[in-house]
Amino acid sequence: MYGNLDALVLALSQLTQPISLALLIGGIVVGLVIGILPGLGPPIAIALALPFTFYLEPVPSMILLLGIYSAAIYGGSISAIAVGIPGTGAAIATVQDGHKMFKSGRGGEALGFSLTGSIIGGLVSALCLALVSPMLAELAIKFGPREYLAISVFGLLVVVRVAGQSLPKGLLAGALGIFLTTWGLDELNGTERYTFGSYHMYEGLPLVPFLVGLFAMSEVLIGAERALQKIDFSKESLSVKLPGLKTLGKMKDVILRSSLIGTIIGIIPGEGAAVGAFFAYSEAKRRSKHPEKFGTGIPEGIVAPETANNATVGGALVPTLTLGVPGSPAAAVLLGALLIQGLSPGPKLFTERPDLMYSIFIGLFVINILMVFIGLVAIRFAARLIMVPTSVIVPTVMLLCFVGIYSVSNSFFNVGVLLAAGILGYVIRKLGYSIAPLSIGFVLGPILENSLRQSLTIADGSVTEFFNTPIGLVIYAMLILTILWRPLMEWFKRAKTN
Amino acid sequence: MLSQRLANIVFVIVVLVACVWFGVIAEGFETSGLLASSGLPSKFFPQLTLGLTGACAIIVGLLYALRGSAGGDSGEMVFEEGAQARRSLLMLVVAIAAYFIWKNFGFIPMAVILGPLSLLAMGVRSIPIYLTVLALTAAVYLVFTRLLGVTLS
């Protein structure tokens, strides 16, 4: 389908252009910096870089964002190990063993394990992305409205299930996100819906300002709360000691398993890097001969979550690129970048822009390889970054959000949307809601509405016709299995012990 | 300092009122001409999502009213201390003020004021931090205007 040599050559020529190489390296550096700074995770890192992609061609812009995405996830582990404060949610599982190793004088080793695990996880998931996504795209090309409806329902409900501890709260946030996409002109018949007499609202709430507001602006407001907190850290510089092949050989099972867990969890819509890391950590502990040593500062406790969280990057790109359904909040922002470029993610993208697909696959490999060298250098400067006060980060990020969003369209309306989304994100986060279902709902809303209305038209109003599709049935069955899996396993466990 | 229970119940009431209001507005969505009879009416999907949002809000409200929590936040506070609340709410005011200053007086006054006002809102007193933030503001301005060629009016 997309396997023509011309596209591959074109991708390579675009990737080797000086601008692409500079952005690739720049993306990794920016991602590492933002990942190290506590509180600013991958979605915020990508959101802040989004406006810059407006001035770039699709390939360099995707390379920049992928570099930021991968490096930000890895960067979070550095502050997790050094100060016990995870730079990102994905690094929370790393704190337990990483910081213990650091405190016992084995910080260099701990940083080496996290870097190596991250690189291997990233490479494995990039390979899976390159192998799985073309096959899935080939299948997805046959999808009609009913299948897209099933995929969207699946994506949304899975996000709701994993986001936060309360299902009704997750559903409320998801439904709110979908509702907000109904603002603007009705795509099917041109009816004005919630435009409030403003021509700005004809196209609805703009995606990029909404997502940047939701992630970055809300984080700014939350960051202001802990602006005066002091970090107990006095090191001038950090060093890293990479593990030898013999040591890695002993952990090959943990590495391979965590890579696959991360990739698979990344593919499931909504299950982000943090879930992957925790799952891999608990799996490594469960299968270990010495599970009691986990949490006391052992290499496996770092390698498992770090391998898995970086493996979610490639996994999350599979549904994003092939179906247009984001695999994680960060992938939702990445999807926004494709829309900025005038590209609609989905199976057709593989036939329309095979060079872009090749560039993404190859780019992700190169990013992970370069991250070894850049990561080794970055760790030396990480001590200084960790010491950057939150009070400096908060106003700078706010200004970046303002200017970045304004620069995309020279529109104060978009800045207003950014601000409103930031306030909404802040309020719901403070009230214990997760912003993941809201953001995914906002991305999936138009797909859901269009596929639902088209499906009903095709089925002549009959709801049972929704299920008269083999692919749709498989997706619904997977959804039911996903929802019932945990209760069923617990039930089996209880039955076994009784 | 403001319990999760009380804050969530207030939020649920606001959501329910908003759902009713938006639902009533949706009743007025009318399609004219040939497209009027094609497919589902435009109000269907907004009202469907509003119904779902409202139903979830009622469940969340009931959970807080009857059990005191939804998702293990029993007895938790929205803000750990008063100073935290003051800092974030003042920051919110600064963000809104910055937007209106930019809109009415231009970018440079906003950019110059935003950093120091934010630091004041957060209670920062260190002069080097003020200088660092102003330097970063200048850097952001230069990157966008000189490097990317954006006109910041």
Side-chain angles (χ1 to χ4, degrees):
Chain A
M1 177 181 64
Y2 78 113
N4 66 68
L5 200 61
D6 292 345
L8 181 63
V9 173
L10 183 60
L12 285 171
S13 73
Q14 289 182 93
L15 280 172
T16 48
Q17 278 177 8
I19 180 83
S20 298
L21 292 172
L23 288 169
L24 197 143
I25 294 167
I28 297 172
V29 173
V30 171
L32 280 170
V33 170
I34 294 182
I36 291 168
L37 296 171
L40 303 178
I44 300 168
I46 304 172
L48 287 174
L50 261 189
F52 290 94
T53 62
F54 187 71
Y55 304 92
L56 300 168
E57 290 292 313
V59 170
S61 69
M62 287 310 289
I63 291 303
L64 171 74
L65 298 178
L66 286 175
I68 292 175
Y69 188 7
S70 301
I73 290 187
Y74 162 64
S77 71
I78 299 174
S79 45
I81 291 168
V83 277
I85 301 171
T88 62
I92 294 171
T94 313
V95 172
Q96 308 183 54
D97 284 272
H99 192 51
K100 289 257 169 63
M101 274 184 85
F102 189 84
K103 281 205 288 190
S104 64
R106 296 169 66 198
E109 263 181 86
L111 290 166
F113 281 120
S114 80
L115 179 59
T116 315
S118 298
I119 303 303
I120 297 173
L123 286 171
V124 171
S125 77
L127 184 69
C128 290
L129 170 71
L131 293 175
V132 174
S133 51
M135 289 190 280
L136 192 60
E138 207 146 345
L139 179 71
I141 208 101
K142 294 169 190 153
F143 283 14
R146 287 177 298 186
E147 286 79 10
Y148 269 104
L149 178 68
I151 280 284
S152 308
V153 170
F154 177 84
L156 196 73
L157 286 185
V158 171
V159 179
V160 165
R161 195 180 58 84
V162 295
Q165 290 178 315
S166 168
L167 183 69
K169 276 185 165 180
L171 272 172
L172 196 159
L176 189 62
I178 301 170
F179 167 68
L180 291 173
T181 63
T182 64
W183 294 22
L185 290 183
D186 183 340
E187 275 183 40
L188 295 186
N189 55 32
T191 306
E192 283 188 36
R193 300 191 300 194
Y194 307 118
T195 55
F196 305 105
S198 165
Y199 70 91
H200 289 295
M201 282 300 301
Y202 281 7
E203 286 185 24
L205 292 170
L207 180 72
V208 175
F210 186 83
L211 291 181
V212 176
L214 207 56
F215 287 106
M217 280 299 286
S218 68
E219 188 57 47
V220 161
L221 296 170
I222 286 175
E225 287 179 11
R226 48 180 164 75
L228 300 181
Q229 273 178 9
K230 288 211 167 88
I231 295 170
D232 184 22
F233 188 71
S234 57
K235 293 250 178 196
E236 283 292 308
S237 69
L238 296 169
S239 58
V240 60
K241 189 181 167 195
L242 289 175
L245 286 176
K246 205 175 162 186
T247 316
L248 287 176
K250 282 180 191 166
M251 288 193 280
K252 63 177 188 302
D253 291 345
V254 176
I255 293 172
L256 190 65
R257 198 186 311 118
S258 303
S259 300
L260 293 176
I261 287 173
T263 308
I264 292 166
I265 285 184
I267 291 172
I268 300 169
E271 306 245 16
V275 180
F278 271 111
F279 197 80
Y281 183 87
S282 61
E283 208 43 31
K285 187 178 175 181
R286 197 175 66 84
R287 289 173 181 263
S288 169
K289 286 175 186 164
H290 307 286
E292 72 284 354
K293 287 188 179 171
F294 275 76
T296 61
I298 61 166
E300 286 87 344
I302 300 170
V303 168
E306 280 307 307
T307 307
N309 66 22
N310 268 77
T312 58
V313 175
L317 289 176
V318 174
T320 311
L321 296 175
T322 54
L323 304 168
V325 175
S328 66
V333 188
L334 213 62
L335 198 132
L338 285 167
L339 296 174
I340 284 182
Q341 298 290 340
L343 301 165
S344 41
K348 281 183 189 163
L349 201 57
F350 282 73
T351 43
E352 286 167 3
R353 289 299 305 268
D355 58 311
L356 179 63
M357 293 299 131
Y358 276 124
S359 303
I360 289 171
F361 301 153
I362 301 166
L364 206 54
F365 271 104
V366 179
I367 285 163
N368 279 290
I369 291 163
L370 277 181
M371 219 159 70
V372 182
F373 306 104
I374 300 172
L376 284 172
V377 179
I379 285 171
R380 292 186 182 280
F381 299 98
R384 286 177 196 167
L385 281 172
I386 290 167
M387 303 293 285
V388 173
T390 310
S391 53
V392 172
I393 300 168
V394 165
T396 312
V397 170
M398 188 186 281
L399 184 69
L400 263 177
C401 290
F402 276 174
V403 180
I405 290 303
Y406 179 81
S407 68
V408 172
S409 56
N410 284 350
S411 159
F412 278 111
F413 173 75
N414 283 2
V415 181
V417 172
L418 166 93
L419 206 53
I423 295 168
L424 176 68
Y426 173 71
V427 170
I428 69 163
R429 282 173 76 175
K430 289 303 292 179
L431 295 178
Y433 290 80
S434 167
I435 51 172
L438 184 64
S439 62
I440 307 269
F442 194 77
V443 173
L444 292 181
I447 306 173
L448 257 172
E449 181 176 8
N450 290 339
S451 53
L452 176 72
R453 292 171 75 176
Q454 285 168 2
S455 301
L456 276 171
T457 308
I458 292 167
D460 209 15
S462 163
V463 179
T464 50
E465 274 298 304
F466 284 9
F467 305 98
N468 195 11
T469 148
I471 298 171
L473 274 180
V474 170
I475 298 165
Y476 287 120
M478 276 166 57
L479 175 64
I480 292 166
L481 198 67
T482 315
I483 292 168
L484 294 180
W485 182 257
R486 209 171 287 169
L488 274 177
M489 290 308 283
E490 279 169 13
W491 184 79
F492 275 124
K493 264 185 196 170
R494 269 204 305 273
K496 215 175 167 184
T497 46
N498 288 337
Chain B
M1 191 58 208
L2 187 61
S3 69
Q4 282 286 358
R5 185 184 188 186
L6 179 65
N8 268 285
I9 289 174
V10 172
F11 180 68
V12 161
I13 293 168
V14 172
V15 169
L16 287 173
V17 171
C19 282
V20 172
W21 187 63
F22 281 113
V24 171
I25 293 179
E27 274 299 309
F29 297 158
E30 278 176 17
T31 313
S32 53
L34 285 171
L35 291 166
S37 58
S38 63
L40 281 173
S42 294
K43 66 181 179 185
F44 173 76
F45 199 69
Q47 287 184 335
L48 179 75
T49 51
L50 282 170
L52 185 61
T53 309
C56 293
I58 289 169
I59 296 169
V60 173
L62 283 174
L63 284 172
Y64 275 103
L66 302 174
R67 282 198 209 161
S69 76
D73 56 358
S74 177
E76 282 184 15
M77 297 290 154
V78 176
F79 298 102
E80 282 168 26
E81 52 187 63
Q84 259 191 9
R86 194 182 60 238
R87 279 197 290 271
S88 63
L89 294 176
L90 280 174
M91 197 66 208
L92 188 62
V93 173
V94 170
I96 295 167
Y99 171 73
F100 285 106
I101 292 169
W102 187 4
K103 211 173 169 184
N104 295 309
F105 303 102
F107 176 77
I108 291 177
M110 182 279 282
V112 172
I113 288 169
L114 178 66
L117 268 184
S118 307
L119 294 171
L120 274 175
M122 289 184 280
V124 177
R125 289 177 188 168
S126 161
I127 299 294
I129 289 184
Y130 278 80
L131 294 175
T132 309
V133 167
L134 283 173
L136 285 168
T137 302
V140 170
Y141 177 73
L142 288 175
V143 165
F144 275 90
T145 53
R146 306 282 174 212
L147 205 68
L148 298 174
V150 178
T151 310
L152 294 168
S153 54

